[in-house]
Every structure is written in structure tokens, then in C-alpha cells.
Amino acid sequence: MGRGRRSATRERGPPTIPAVPDLRVGIAIALVLLLPGVLILLAARVRLTVVEWLVIAPACSLGAVYVLAEFLTLAGVPFGPAAFLAMVAVLGVAATLRIRRGGWCRPVLDRHGYTPQPSRAVRRLRRPGVLVALGLLGVAIAVGAATWSVSTRDEAVIAPGSDAVVHGFMIGRVAETESIRPDDIFDFELSGGKDPAGVDYYPLALHSSVAVGHRTTGAPIGALLNGIILFFTAFVFPLGLFALARHLIPDEPLAAGFAALIGSLISIFPYQPIWWGLIPLTMG
């Protein structure tokens, strides 16, 4: 009898993150956080390295969806999958026209120290260091992915903490109301009728993207929110450190590789902020 009661208690507990990721989360991330940014970069025809492409595309996507949500909210037009897909279509047309007129700027593996035209001897000396640095970057991404995916397995779908729950609630309101107006998203009654602390600085860029991903693919909000957190912290974060260090110290490629690796190894950064929702706030 005692065993049966314990089993029933477990079944009534909060939903947990399964060991096997939900495929819809990956589709939503590719659709919402990669596709718009890739189209923007193609239309802009900027010369970037592969790492810079992978870093800038999610940032452009996050900004494009948020700007769309802001514009539609101000215009009184519903913000949802239809508007998002229309934006993607417009960006696709713009990228296609730019490519047909002037070709596309093919991303390069590395800029070889960002010097205008390095000699063949300089390129030969730097190439091994760049390859080792890229290998360190791969290790950093693997460490970050293992750190986050293993630590969150079988945990609550939305990371514990009042702020994290509020983030999930706000995403649900964005998806339901098709708006990012504060009056539509924030439930002031939950805070006793008072303006909840932080409303003035809550950025809703992440929430807008998650809401569109949820409406488009049907992925659960909690799983999608945690999947995007994993995407940014395990993938975009070390890539960003690599690209930044490569730009600041162009003649020392290993500095970029170690910057990415050390950033992923400092586990005190990921664990504490996710507990109360700082990472979604920072990403926004």
C-alpha cells in the first residue's frame, strides 16, 4: 500500500524533462532562432567566418522577431505564426534578390588574423593554431551540452524558482493574446494588484520567440524554454566567446579556443542563474 501511494505521488508530480529530447523543440529553434537570422545575413551580404555566422544568426533572429512583435502590437495587428511566416517570406525574397544580383558572401573558416592580405608563410604558421582553437571550441560545446542536458534531465519542465515560472506564464500569455502589451501579459492580480517588481525592465524578445515557436510547432512551452536556454548557454555562449576573443586578439588563435573552453568549464555561471531565471532575462 505504501509503495502504491508513493507511485501515485510521483505520477501527480510536475512534468519532467525526458531523457530523449522533444524533436519539436529542435524544429522550433531552427525555425525561430536560426532561419530569420540566416536570411538577414544573406540579404546583408556581410563577410563573416563560420563561427561568426553561427553566433550572429541567433542574435539577428531574436531581434527580428522582437521588432516584428513590437511593430504589430503598436499597429494593433495580432502577433502570431502567420505574421512570423510572412516576415520569413519577405526576408527570403530579399535574400534571393540580393544573391541573384551580387552573389552571396561565402563564410570562411577563419580570417587568418584579420590582416588584409597575409603572406603564405603567415597563413601556414597560423593554420595549425586555428585548427587547434576550433578543436577546443568543439570540446567547449560538448562540455556545455553535457553539463546542461545531464543536469536538467528528469527535473521540472520549467526550471524551479518564482522567476522561471513567471517567464513560462508570460510566454503563455504572449501566445494566447498574440500581443506583447504589458497589460495583456502581466497578471497584476498575482502580486496583490500591484505593479510587479521588474515589469519595467522585463525584455520580451525571448518570450516572443518562444511563443511563436510554441504556436508554430506545438512544442510545450516549458520544454521549449529550457531547450532554448540550453541552445544559448551550451552552443551560442562558447561560440560568442570564441568570436569575441578571435576579434580582440587576432594574432593568437589559441586565446579564442581557451576562452570558449574556460567559459564552459565555469559551471557556477550556468547553475545559479537558471535557478531563478536570470539567463532568459540576459538573453532578452
Side-chain angles (χ1 to χ4, degrees):
M1 293 295 292
R3 183 179 303 173
R5 283 195 298 270
R6 283 195 297 270
S7 299
T9 302
R10 288 195 193 100
E11 291 176 0
R12 290 195 299 268
T16 58
I17 300 173
V20 179
D22 191 331
L23 181 61
R24 295 173 297 177
V25 173
I27 295 174
I29 290 175
L31 179 65
V32 178
L33 288 179
L34 287 177
L35 181 57
V38 168
L39 294 176
I40 290 173
L41 293 177
L42 289 174
R45 298 189 70 250
V46 290
R47 182 175 181 268
L48 299 171
T49 66
V50 175
V51 173
E52 290 168 345
W53 259 78
L54 295 174
V55 172
I56 296 175
C60 289
S61 299
L62 201 67
V65 174
Y66 184 52
V67 169
L68 175 68
E70 285 275 17
F71 176 78
L72 295 180
T73 298
L74 291 174
V77 178
F79 165 68
F84 169 77
L85 294 176
M87 180 191 72
V88 170
V90 171
L91 291 176
V93 171
T96 302
L97 292 176
R98 290 282 286 174
I99 292 173
R100 291 186 62 181
R101 289 182 179 179
W104 73 297
C105 290
R106 182 179 177 182
V108 295
L109 179 64
D110 188 75
R111 298 190 188 184
H112 303 293
Y114 295 84
T115 54
Q117 290 182 343
S119 66
R120 184 175 300 178
V122 171
R123 290 199 301 266
R124 190 181 300 113
L125 287 173
R126 287 175 178 166
R127 189 170 298 143
V130 171
L131 295 177
V132 173
L134 291 173
L136 291 173
L137 174 61
V139 174
I141 293 174
V143 168
T147 299
W148 283 87
S149 60
V150 173
S151 63
T152 57
R153 187 178 300 167
D154 296 328
E155 296 295 333
V157 171
I158 296 180
S162 59
D163 256 14
V165 175
V166 170
H167 284 298
F169 173 81
M170 288 191 296
I171 292 168
R173 293 294 297 163
V174 173
E176 180 181 347
T177 63
E178 296 186 329
S179 167
I180 60 171
R181 290 179 66 249
D183 291 342
D184 295 332
I185 295 173
F186 300 104
D187 191 340
F188 299 103
E189 293 183 0
L190 293 178
S191 58
K194 300 178 180 179
D195 188 355
V199 166
D200 292 336
Y201 67 80
Y202 258 126
L204 298 173
L206 175 65
H207 307 81
S208 304
S209 295
V210 176
V212 169
H214 165 67
R215 290 281 307 279
T216 305
T217 65
I221 290 176
L224 189 53
L225 178 60
N226 280 1
I228 288 180
I229 291 174
L230 174 64
F231 172 72
F232 270 93
T233 52
F235 185 70
V236 179
F237 178 59
L239 285 170
L241 289 177
F242 183 95
L244 180 61
R246 193 78 187 95
H247 180 75
L248 295 175
I249 316 176
D251 295 326
E252 296 292 343
L254 289 180
F258 279 109
L261 181 59
I262 292 172
S264 293
L265 289 175
I266 302 178
S267 59
I268 194 173
F269 169 77
Y271 285 124
Q272 181 61 22
I274 194 178
W275 186 260
W276 53 281
L278 177 61
I279 287 179
L281 192 65
T282 306
M283 287 160 46

